Amino acid sequence: MADRSAIALNSVTMSYSDNTLFRDVSLQLAPGSFHFLTGPSGAGKTTLIKLCYGELQPTEGRVTLFDEDTGHMDRDAIARLRRRIGVVHQDCRFIDHLSVAENVLLPVTVSGGNVEAARTDMSELMNWVGLNALSDHRPPELSGGERQRAALARAVILSPDIILADEPTGNVDWEMSLKILGLLIELNLLGKTVLCATHDMSLIRQAKTRVSTRVLRLRDGAVELAGAEL
Amino acid sequence: MNALLTLLKGDTSAESVVPRTGYTAMLTIACAAAMAFLAVFVLALALSAGRQAGDWEASLADTATVRISAPVEMAAVQAETVETILSQTPGIGGTRRLSNDEQALLLQPWFGSDLPIETLRLPILIDVTLTENGPDVIGLRQRLAAEAPGAVYDDHGRWRAPMVDAARGLRTLSLIALLLIAIVTGVTVALAASAAISANGQVIDVLRLVGAEDSYITRAFTRRFSLRTLAGAAAGTIIGLFAVALIPTVAGGGLASAVGFQGAEWIWPLLVPLAAAALAFAATRAAAARRLKEAG
């Protein structure tokens, strides 16, 4: 049975101590859609992204991934579900003593997949993100943009249904931002659901010229659909 | 056994995600080596004590002595009476009266070789060999008391029991020491594993981000720590075996001369590294599971 929604938040409230980040938020991301999530710093974009891959549990409400309630899942079940979700963070985290190629292969390794086959096919993937020449380097040797692209390669190696990108262009120049955006758009055109948190309106405007996107704005503890002002 | 098979089969891909360096590596290897060295010694002591207790018990259990302390004019008659009674008693395999020279030899350690034994009034000693079932000691003592009042049947239990008890006690203490060594090894490895897991928080974050289950993360640490423990314990065991082999042997020195391994006992120290690795496997797995649960 096809998933009715890739990600759904139902009446979700998220609080840290006495600070409520957002209250009673509901949203659904349809399979194959491209959403931007924007809002001022501290509005809760990263928290919402983390809710979307089960890293955090809501204070109230329900988060469902592929129609499964994350509140009723144990850590291992969430881990298995994450293999259908590719995540790219602003501060891309890697295992520094492994090579870039080994880091990119990690999702295959931990899921018990065919690492040798994936290694054979990896050249195409590394070419796609423009890192073929850096496969044997260690992550600390990469620039910010290269790290983002390596993280994107790692996020898509299992061909996940959803790509979650949290400020993927936060640490890179405009040219690199456009490259990363281009990769996200390519993935969306392949049918992947994309949710990209960013505060860069230029990037959003650029994306809108190339692909159908919706923009969600987190403001004053609520999520609203941004209008034509963009 | 399953744990050991899992350990040997291993998951090198999981192990490779943990950095090889770190102070916990040396701590684990050094601790395992030291504990294995001690374990080999204590094992040798436990086995030797058990063996000695068995030897003493066996060598004394099938003999007894009848001592006849009677006035000179009655001693010879009572000795003959005792020998007659003993020959008629079921459970007695044989008797032999000790000569004066043999008695002098027995006293020599205390009085020296110049002892004029003929001037002493020594009791007559009859060495008794028992059959497998032995005699009815109570009945025999009653009959001796009635027919040879100067005769005392001594089954060596009075001084045999404390020696056997001491050897057994030493063996028990050695086994307790072995248990303590195992506990300390397990706790040390678990602490080192916990420290390594804490120090590798970023590795665990990344693994979780890419969909690693707890069992995978746990395997990454257990194999590494089990193999380190195996290597350290193997080195400690080899050194321990050399040290045990170098303990000087003293003829007739009792337990002190017998510390070591004999025959099939050599298998036991060879199991020390494997036992240490299995212990490390269990301790690391428990520590990893606890840390992952705490991390949420």
Side-chain angles (χ1 to χ4, degrees):
Chain A
M1 191 178 77
D3 297 317
R4 285 169 294 173
S5 62
I7 298 173
L9 275 65
N10 298 303
S11 304
V12 165
T13 296
M14 195 66 197
S15 303
Y16 291 108
S17 303
D18 296 333
N19 181 26
T20 298
L21 268 182
F22 39 83
R23 188 184 302 280
D24 201 26
V25 166
S26 293
L27 64 88
Q28 289 196 338
L29 305 187
S33 62
F34 194 131
H35 286 79
F36 280 105
L37 178 66
T38 189
S41 294
K45 297 192 291 293
T46 298
T47 297
L48 198 142
I49 291 276
K50 284 184 173 176
L51 284 170
C52 289
Y53 67 92
E55 174 77 13
L56 295 174
Q57 291 297 323
T59 311
E60 289 175 32
R62 202 156 57 96
V63 175
T64 55
L65 305 178
F66 309 108
D67 295 326
E68 290 192 62
D69 187 344
T70 61
H72 295 144
M73 299 166 79
D74 62 19
R75 282 199 307 273
D76 282 348
I78 287 176
R80 285 191 293 273
L81 205 61
R82 266 183 208 167
R83 295 170 192 167
R84 296 177 66 185
I85 304 171
V87 183
V88 182
H89 278 291
Q90 181 178 4
D91 59 333
C92 332
R93 286 170 289 182
F94 295 99
I95 298 179
D96 288 343
H97 69 278
L98 299 182
S99 68
V100 171
E102 287 168 329
N103 270 284
V104 170
L105 281 168
L106 267 180
V108 182
T109 311
V110 304
S111 61
N114 188 336
V115 177
E116 285 315 308
R119 203 187 296 276
T120 307
D121 298 339
M122 211 173 68
S123 170
E124 199 178 336
L125 176 62
M126 296 303 273
N127 242 348
W128 179 66
V129 293
L131 292 177
N132 231 343
L134 301 173
S135 291
D136 294 330
H137 286 231
R138 306 281 169 207
E141 297 166 14
L142 303 184
S143 68
E146 289 164 347
R147 287 173 69 87
Q148 290 292 351
R149 284 180 285 148
L152 189 58
R154 184 180 65 189
V156 302
I157 194 165
L158 286 180
S159 192
D161 300 305
I162 301 172
I163 308 296
L164 301 174
D166 184 15
E167 299 279 8
T169 61
N171 292 328
V172 298
D173 60 27
W174 177 243
E175 192 182 348
M176 186 57 68
S177 296
L178 288 180
K179 271 189 187 173
I180 291 168
L181 175 66
L183 295 173
L184 290 174
I185 288 171
E186 276 186 55
L187 289 168
N188 179 241
L189 293 174
L190 289 171
K192 312 294 182 191
T193 307
V194 178
L195 175 62
C196 176
T198 181
H199 61 273
D200 187 344
M201 294 301 156
S202 305
L203 196 73
I204 296 173
R205 279 192 287 272
Q206 187 67 33
K208 277 181 165 295
T209 64
R210 297 172 60 186
V211 71
S212 171
T213 65
R214 303 180 81 183
V215 180
L216 306 168
R217 180 182 287 147
L218 255 177
R219 188 158 61 185
D220 300 328
V223 174
E224 59 188 27
L225 200 58
E229 74 275 14
L230 291 167
Chain B
M1 187 54 84
N2 281 340
L4 279 178
L5 287 176
T6 305
L7 169 73
L8 294 172
K9 189 179 169 191
D11 183 350
T12 51
S13 72
E15 186 195 356
S16 68
V17 301
V18 182
R20 291 187 178 279
T21 53
Y23 71 92
T24 55
M26 283 313 297
L27 172 68
T28 307
I29 292 170
C31 167
M35 291 302 168
F37 181 85
L38 291 175
V40 168
F41 259 112
V42 171
L43 197 56
L45 191 60
L47 289 170
S48 303
R51 200 189 319 126
Q52 194 70 59
D55 287 351
W56 280 337
E57 196 166 30
S59 64
L60 296 173
D62 57 357
T63 61
T65 305
V66 176
R67 188 180 69 247
I68 302 156
S69 304
V72 180
E73 63 278 12
M74 297 174 66
V77 177
Q78 287 203 14
E80 281 175 20
T81 305
V82 167
E83 283 172 331
T84 305
I85 291 169
L86 290 172
S87 67
Q88 295 167 348
T89 305
I92 302 295
T95 59
R96 188 176 66 83
R97 197 186 298 192
L98 264 63
S99 66
N100 281 351
D101 290 345
E102 285 175 306
Q103 293 206 39
L105 272 176
L106 289 175
L107 295 171
Q108 195 172 305
W110 287 273
F111 298 108
S113 56
D114 299 332
L115 178 68
I117 197 167
E118 61 280 359
T119 63
L120 296 177
R121 252 190 71 198
L122 294 176
I124 296 171
L125 297 178
I126 299 174
D127 190 28
V128 182
T129 304
L130 309 178
T131 62
E132 191 176 344
N133 293 327
D136 168 15
V137 175
I138 296 172
L140 177 60
R141 281 184 173 142
Q142 284 173 346
R143 191 173 171 196
L144 287 175
E147 298 183 32
V152 176
Y153 179 87
D154 180 2
D155 63 359
H156 305 154
R158 191 177 43 171
W159 61 279
R160 178 182 69 194
M163 285 174 66
V164 172
D165 285 349
R168 283 181 178 159
L170 191 57
R171 185 180 59 177
T172 304
L173 281 177
S174 302
L175 293 175
I176 290 171
L178 209 55
L179 182 67
L180 288 175
I181 287 170
I183 290 171
V184 170
T185 305
V187 169
T188 308
V189 173
L191 287 174
S194 282
I197 292 165
S198 298
N200 286 288
Q202 179 168 331
V203 170
I204 293 170
D205 287 347
V206 170
L207 290 175
R208 282 190 158 163
L209 186 70
V210 299
E213 295 176 43
D214 282 3
S215 57
Y216 182 91
I217 300 171
T218 302
R219 273 204 306 278
F221 288 92
T222 50
R223 183 174 157 81
R224 174 65 54 84
F225 277 86
S226 301
L227 292 180
R228 280 175 183 167
T229 304
L230 181 65
T237 298
I238 290 169
I239 297 169
L241 286 173
F242 271 115
V244 167
L246 290 175
I247 294 176
T249 304
V250 181
L255 183 58
S257 68
V259 174
F261 302 105
Q262 291 179 4
E265 288 176 1
W266 285 99
I267 291 173
W268 289 107
L270 299 180
L271 294 178
V272 167
L274 293 178
L279 189 65
F281 182 87
T284 310
R285 193 159 61 171
R290 191 174 60 250
R291 298 291 299 185
L292 290 173
K293 193 176 177 185
E294 285 168 4

